[in-house]
Amino acid sequence: MGTKMSKRRSAVFALAVLVAGTVAAAPPAGARAQAGKCSPIGTAGAPDLPAGGTDGFEDLRPAPADTQLPDQVHLRDTRGTFNRVWSFALADGSVYTKPAGLSGGWRVAPVPDCLDGRITGISADDDELVAVDGEGRVFTMDHAMNEPRLWNWTSRFGPPIWLGSGTTLPDATVDWSWSVISPAEDVRWTDAIGKPHEIEPAKVSHVYALSGDGSRITYLDPWLPSDHSYELRTPLGGRFQAARLSASGSTVFVTNRYGDLYTRLYDFDMSGGNSVFFRYSYEDQSGLPTAPNLLLERIDPRYAAVQLPAQDWVRQPKVPGEMTDRISIHKTGPRPDARELRVEGVKDGATGLWRKEIRASAWSFTPTGQPLRGRKLDNTPEDRSTDTLAPPSPHSYAGNGDGYSAEAPGFRTATGATPLNLRFRSGATLKLTLQTVDPLRQFSRADGLDDKPRAYNGAVEVPQELLDNLSQQPPEVRDFVTDTLGARRFTTTGVDASTRSLRIAALGLNLAAR
């Protein structure tokens, strides 16, 4: 099985090179500036090895006695992290490790000399550990579920297929987390209607970075351009201001300063962007069977495609007590719902962890006796998600179509839904939704919007209730939905957005920024 899987993944890598092209995108400025200082090569991006044990741990050098390290790592953050085999901790710019179930007994993890002592954050998930230095450069340690002799580091990141010149965290990053979803550990993921789909053989690996005022989450993928242009919209239409973030197995977990908690299963493949490996559809897929393998899913319309739009944020129950902003999520098994949420907190004067499975309705508390390291939050029972909202998007558009005027208020770079409101000459109105998805790109572009049009895959969505009562609509609305949109709920379209205009190809509509 392992040999077959390795051959399959190698074939996938070769296919991706052909699709992506063999010319790497220019590295980001930060990566170029540091390229000559610390540029290990390593094996990250090559086929994974079967998860191994902890042989060779005793051969590592013990941590100096005066190093401040916890007995155990209970939460995954940028100071301490774990997968199901190893725990890792950061102290004085160096990385320390021990088997995940061991209390104390830390030893020095092997790190390149040019990086050791300069690390400011770490995060492990699945088969890799990511470290960031003081200038925001990203380094990856491969085989993090195997014995230490196999651990090795690379500064490579970006196209083609993890062979690029490297990447950096976005400016003003508040928090970040490494996430991996893999065929070996997770097997499958589910779409918005619960249909299971195989994980692509090369897995999906992201750094999720929270930056600015907490309403921007950027994801960095080692196969995508290192340009900070791919974003995950925060809850409440992108206006939720998160204080901290954690991610594992493509599941993102956020909190605001009032302890309101949300999770979302989302990565580039799930978003609708990876048309190399997946077939996507806005049409209802619930009546179609699940394909027996990834190839048939991609090419055979008799099987269910990935249902779009992608899964949205899920509001989690509030912690019933004191909590800090230290939140954590980790995988507990080979299912997308096998995720445990943890929050640092206090109960009856004891410090410890609030914890629950992601779909559980209630939290339990486990004392740890460890001192609190996070910032205490003003956690109250009521939902305070809207108490601090980011400003509305500055990008709104308006213009005229054939017999109607149109407006698209509050368009956001981070993909998702945007209102598309039409008004006909008779005064009749039609409220539609414009859905957008970031497509696969292999060359860098600026983040956000500028005067260069940014291309999206999109769809114009008609409310189901309106379709169900189409005969009762005003004539102009009825004719438009029937003639222009084919009386379908979704009409796919190309979308181009810039600071100057918004173009919706299927409608022949060009709107100007206002």
Side-chain angles (χ1 to χ4, degrees), residues 229-304:
S229 66
Y230 286 90
E231 297 183 36
L232 164 59
R233 191 181 292 196
T234 63
L236 305 181
R239 298 186 63 190
F240 181 85
Q241 291 184 304
R244 293 290 291 271
L245 168 150
S246 183
S248 176
S250 295
T251 308
V252 184
F253 182 28
V254 296
T255 184
N256 65 0
R257 69 187 193 188
Y258 297 117
D260 296 293
L261 304 167
Y262 291 82
T263 57
R264 189 178 187 187
L265 182 65
Y266 185 97
D267 62 28
F268 179 69
D269 286 5
M270 299 173 189
S271 74
N274 190 355
S275 56
V276 174
F277 288 106
F278 295 96
R279 181 169 49 88
Y280 301 95
S281 180
Y282 287 94
E283 300 301 323
D284 184 8
Q285 301 295 294
S286 59
L288 295 174
T290 298
N293 57 60
L294 196 59
L295 177 60
L296 284 178
E297 178 182 310
R298 178 66 184 84
I299 67 173
D300 193 338
R302 293 176 297 176
Y303 295 106

Side-chain angles (χ1 to χ4, degrees), residues 355-376:
R355 59 199 300 176
K356 79 176 191 73
E357 293 298 315
I358 193 168
R359 292 190 179 179
S361 59
W363 294 86
S364 62
F365 186 81
T366 301
T368 64
Q370 292 186 354
L372 298 180
R373 287 176 47 193
R375 180 173 61 90
K376 286 189 177 182

Side-chain angles (χ1 to χ4, degrees), residues 25 158-159 221 223-230 441-445:
D221 182 302
W223 283 34
L224 296 176
S226 301
D227 58 9
H228 306 160
S229 66
Y230 286 90
R441 296 191 299 272
Q442 289 293 286
F443 295 94
S444 296
R445 64 149 291 128

Side-chain angles (χ1 to χ4, degrees), residues 75-103:
L75 297 112
R76 294 176 61 253
D77 61 17
T78 56
R79 302 293 298 176
T81 187
F82 58 86
N83 56 28
R84 67 178 177 85
V85 180
W86 296 98
S87 291
F88 301 91
L90 179 65
D92 302 320
S94 297
V95 180
Y96 299 87
T97 189
K98 65 183 183 67
L102 183 67
S103 179

Side-chain angles (χ1 to χ4, degrees), residues 190-240:
T190 53
D191 63 19
I193 59 172
K195 286 282 186 183
H197 301 274
E198 285 192 9
I199 299 163
E200 62 164 282
K203 65 192 178 185
V204 183
S205 308
H206 288 349
V207 173
Y208 294 91
L210 179 68
S211 62
D213 65 357
S215 66
R216 184 172 189 241
I217 299 174
T218 305
Y219 61 93
L220 314 177
D221 182 302
W223 283 34
L224 296 176
S226 301
D227 58 9
H228 306 160
S229 66
Y230 286 90
E231 297 183 36
L232 164 59
R233 191 181 292 196
T234 63
L236 305 181
R239 298 186 63 190
F240 181 85

